[in-house]
Amino acid sequence: MIHESILIPVDLAHPEAASVMFDRARALLRPGGRLTVLHAVPDLAPHVTMEMPDDFLPEALRKADDTLRALVADAGLDADIRILTGQAPRAILDTADQVRADLILIASHRPGLSDYLLGSTAARVVRHATCSVLVIR
Ligand code: ADP
């Protein structure tokens, strides 16, 4: 089956997992289809943000945007880049609805963990997504 709108969530703490997902998207996306690549920057607790400079969050978002953009460009892909704040599963599920994704490509867990494990983000996305989810091992 060829997909119309694929969403790839990328954990920028482990960007090396992205290239396998990008290759898979290339094979599964209809020519002219929509590819969205997303990273969620975790919210910090209020007592932590109080100690941070005012521009901490905008700066973190800008850096994440630059890094993700470079990753996608290096892979030679044309994708819509999204940087959201908040918990990754919520950001992924909301974005999937927004872009009417018909497939979410997600890594099973961070690199180096045992292959039969499902990470906490991957598990929540598999459980709650309203579209198909391909878990990449
Ligand atoms: P682990 O619990 O081993 O860290 P996760 O389930 O969090 O595993 O990560 C698996 C995959 O979930 C990542 O490769 C990525 O696709 C997605 N993911 C995790 N965290 C984020 C994040 N902050 N933003 C976007 N995607 C994420």
Side-chain angles (χ1 to χ4, degrees):
M1 176 176 167
I2 295 195
H3 291 277
E4 186 64 47
S5 174
I6 296 182
L7 173 64
I8 304 182
V10 174
D11 181 0
L12 289 176
H14 305 284
E16 64 276 26
S19 70
V20 179
M21 299 196 279
F22 291 162
D23 286 347
R24 202 55 77 88
R26 224 181 252 115
L28 294 175
L29 189 65
R30 183 181 69 73
R34 179 177 194 180
L35 180 61
T36 309
V37 180
L38 155 78
H39 173 71
V41 176
D43 273 332
L44 295 175
H47 69 274
V48 177
T49 39
M50 268 168 49
E51 306 295 322
M52 297 290 189
D54 282 352
D55 64 350
F56 175 78
L57 185 61
E59 190 55 21
L61 295 176
R62 194 189 57 73
K63 270 197 195 138
D65 189 78
D66 285 354
T67 309
L68 196 52
R69 228 163 257 288
L71 214 56
V72 168
D74 284 352
L77 286 171
D78 185 15
D80 180 12
I81 309 287
R82 307 245 173 144
I83 305 293
L84 273 76
T85 52
Q87 294 201 331
R90 186 72 273 147
I92 295 166
L93 294 166
D94 287 350
T95 303
D97 282 347
Q98 258 174 34
V99 303
R100 297 177 198 281
D102 55 9
L103 182 68
I104 300 171
L105 283 175
I106 193 164
S108 49
H109 50 70
R110 76 190 69 174
L113 283 193
S114 179
D115 267 351
Y116 52 77
L117 290 179
L118 202 51
S120 63
T121 308
R124 284 169 69 186
V125 168
V126 166
R127 190 169 306 129
H128 297 291
T130 53
C131 67
S132 300
V133 180
L134 179 56
V135 176
I136 308 286
R137 293 199 183 272

